[in-house]
Amino acid sequence: KELVIDLTADVMWETGGAHGSTPLIPADAVTEKVTINGNGHKFIATGAGVGPIGLANGGKLIFKDLTIVDNSVSYDEAAWEFTYLELAGALEFENVTFKGGITLQAESDGTQLNATFKNCTFITEEDSVYGVWVSDGTSSFTNCRFQGTRGLKMHEQYGSEIAEVMIDACEFGPLSKKPGVAIGT
């Protein structure tokens, strides 16, 4: 029921072109927890960039000690909802560096997001991209750093509902385009 993956090299994950298309674990899997120990390596997202990374069966996905790079390109990369690397479900990140913006959302079956980030760094270089876009569920950020163009955005869209976002002892900056935290609808 628990799976631990220790990376010995960089790894690529090809995301699909539809919501729910490429979970790390499918909905019928019995695995309840997957931990990816990066050992300083990279998890590189490629592909169509719409299928969120997560466990479709409601289990928890944990990333530790790695860098997540978004090299995916969606069919509408200029649209805010498709330019980000999408993450969904029960997630935990510790000592992870994100190169490129991520969005946190509900699973395609409607299961709310529950994500925690500890000692993580979010780096954006694109003018219109936030380090993190929270659109659903519950998220917490502890001892994290936001650098580059934009920091943290909270915004509900398409029926999503943010329950809670907790920010504790985080650093924002330098940021060149927006304040550290932006709250939309």
Side-chain angles (χ1 to χ4, degrees), residues 46-119:
T46 64
V50 177
I53 295 171
L55 306 185
N57 67 351
K60 182 178 241 183
L61 176 59
I62 301 168
F63 286 96
K64 292 182 176 183
D65 302 315
L66 56 76
T67 297
I68 296 178
V69 179
D70 180 15
N71 285 344
S72 65
V73 179
S74 77
Y75 62 89
D76 190 3
E77 194 68 13
W80 72 266
E81 61 264 69
F82 297 123
T83 193
Y84 292 87
L85 179 62
E86 300 185 22
L87 303 168
L91 305 164
E92 185 178 311
F93 300 89
E94 187 174 342
N95 299 320
V96 174
T97 297
F98 293 87
K99 292 198 175 176
I102 62 171
T103 185
L104 304 173
Q105 61 190 33
E107 286 284 2
S108 56
D109 68 359
T111 303
Q112 277 200 337
L113 170 92
N114 184 350
T116 61
F117 299 85
K118 295 177 186 168
N119 302 316

